[in-house]
Amino acid sequence: MKSIFKSSTFSALKKNKDAKKHWARRVFEKVLDKKENLLAILGIFTFFALWQAISIMDLVDRIFISSPLEVISELALMFANGNIYPHLIISLEEFFLGFLLAVLLGITLGIFIGWYKYLHSFSNSLIYSFYSTPMVALIPLIIIWLGLGVGAKVVIVFLASFFPILINTIGAVRNLDPVYTKLGKSFGANDFDIFRFIAFPASIPFISTGIRVAIPRGIIGMIVGEFFVSNKGIGYLITFYGSTFQTGKLLAVVVLIVSVSTILTYIANFFEKLFAVNRKVTRFRNPYKIKKN
Amino acid sequence: MKVDIKNFSFSYGTRNSSLPVLDDISLTVKKGEFVCILGPSGCGKTTLLNCLLGFEKTQDGKILIDGKPIKMGQKALMVFQDALLLPWRNVLKNLTFGLEIQKVNKKLARKKAKKVLKLLNLSEFEEYYPHELSGGMKQRVNFGRALVCDPEIVLLDEPFAHLDGQTREMLQKEIHNVCIKTKKTYIFVTHEIDEALYLADRVVILHKRPGKIKKIIKVDFKKPRPLSVKYTKNFLKLKKEVWETIKNEIYI
């Protein structure tokens, strides 16, 4: 009877079946298709299984390490009863305001400082000293200036995420091969044209690297800012759960932070791909130099 | 467009020291003429092109285009030694680069670019990105990028220097055909005697630094020239003459 299922009809059937499947299932099957992915999942699973086992066998007091199942149920509970939302919203608000400010100012200032040599010499040492200053040390000062409200945390997020973006943008513009500027000028381009057609597209990969580096820094700024004095926000929740020994809830909040940070990084990657038209070329170099390598 | 270079001298340098590069050059290039500038390396050929393009400030003497001083990006355009294609733009968009700067309407720019692609036999490659092209194709796009803006003077700065011998021959032929079709004024800088004699109406031989015009040789083979013209007796005779002139200037 096997001959009835000729390979071609069979594959056609299979294809048809594939199309009918739910998209999530198709993605799932695609992921499982690769050995590397399978091993990665296995690795993560092992970690959580060990954790759960240690917790069940009471090798370490539960108050110190909680357990994965407890963390997940706490997280689900937080969303189910809605207690997390006011904290999450206020934290995200602080983060996005500060981060947006950092992106806008970082890119614009970076382009100017990268483009004008004298401006760079003037500001370079200042930028690096500010970059090396631990932001945590400045937080009490910022609170003195701006009080305990959202404003102070926006500034902290801004300071934490501004410099990687600024420094990457400056580097990108400064590293532009001057022959490309010459090329633009030979066609009669003014400074704005050169920026628009050459310097900015060439800088996009570097700028997005800066943004990717800045996201976790901004998140850290947000949480640490809330550690200090706050009665709302994710950072406040962590200090609160910590001081009341609710380890499961504390770790649930940490998991939430990690997810937010990862999602934001993926969004940044998405925007990079959207802007960089040619996805294969990620670095701007003299094409001849690439060829010789 | 007539190019007039009158008693032109140029030197690089600071207040304390200066390096004379070009010395008292006078040359008139007629409209539609193809002039090759030939000379040992370091004799200021590229500097001369930069001056013609308007990159360097005129020091002594004058360069006039149709009796008027140079304005960058208008009458003359340069084809650079390196292709310098923008890696995030495909071939078609690389061609419209100059037109976008000159604020030409987008539709018109595409139309013009497609026409030039056809002229250069690159029509199939308009969607390709620079890293997907061969060296010869890149150079053709580089040449096309200048052509599409319809300059009256095209300056070519050793555009084939990085290419292998065979590709170079084919591109010489191609440029020759395009030149006949487009009727612009060409000023071509090169090291290669062959290349210069094959392409040019006149070959200008420069002295070693500071560059001075040593000799101007008229080349009057009938156009269009097949590549085989390079093996004719007259061509070889001319080649020998040029070599004899240039030989003593080259030092290693």
Side-chain angles (χ1 to χ4, degrees), chain A residues 147-169:
Chain A
L148 309 175
V150 171
K153 278 141 228 161
V154 169
V155 170
I156 293 164
V157 171
F158 169 77
L159 285 178
S161 48
F162 172 64
F163 289 101
I165 300 173
L166 180 75
I167 288 170
N168 268 285
T169 312

Side-chain angles (χ1 to χ4, degrees), chain A residues 53-83:
Chain A
I54 291 171
S55 179
I56 285 172
M57 290 187 282
D58 257 337
L59 292 177
V60 183
D61 195 328
R62 278 200 146 197
I63 227 170
F64 294 129
I65 61 158
S66 184
S67 80
L69 288 178
E70 194 192 334
V71 169
I72 288 166
S73 66
E74 289 290 359
L75 192 63
L77 190 68
M78 277 175 196
F79 278 97
N81 63 19
N83 287 346

Side-chain angles (χ1 to χ4, degrees), chain A residues 179-180 182-189 193 197-198 201-202 277-278 280-281 284 286-288 291-292, chain B residues 50 53 55 72-73 77 80 82-89 97-98 100-101 129 131-132 139 145 149:
Chain A
V179 282
Y180 284 93
K182 191 175 167 186
L183 169 79
K185 279 188 182 160
S186 80
F187 280 96
D193 288 330
F197 291 124
I198 300 172
V277 187
N278 182 8
K280 281 180 191 158
V281 180
F284 187 59
N286 184 335
Y288 275 102
K291 210 189 149 201
K292 273 175 192 163
Chain B
N50 279 341
L53 192 62
F55 262 128
M72 191 132 65
L77 280 180
F80 291 89
D82 292 335
L84 300 181
L85 304 179
L86 303 176
W88 56 86
R89 286 176 168 235
F97 173 71
E100 277 171 50
I101 287 173
Y129 283 89
H131 69 276
E132 298 166 317
Q139 253 345 319
R145 181 171 53 190
C149 294

Side-chain angles (χ1 to χ4, degrees), chain A residues 195-254:
Chain A
F195 159 70
R196 195 157 58 119
F197 291 124
I198 300 172
F200 185 63
S203 306
I204 283 175
F206 298 90
I207 294 175
S208 14
T209 307
I211 288 177
R212 268 200 299 269
V213 174
I215 287 172
R217 283 178 63 100
I219 298 255
I220 292 170
M222 170 189 94
I223 293 163
V224 176
E226 287 169 350
F227 275 177
F228 271 75
V229 190
S230 245
N231 53 9
K232 248 183 190 171
I234 302 280
Y236 161 75
L237 278 184
I238 291 179
T239 32
F240 175 73
Y241 290 142
S243 56
T244 51
F245 295 99
Q246 305 186 59
T247 325
K249 284 184 174 161
L250 192 155
L251 286 172
V253 176
V254 172

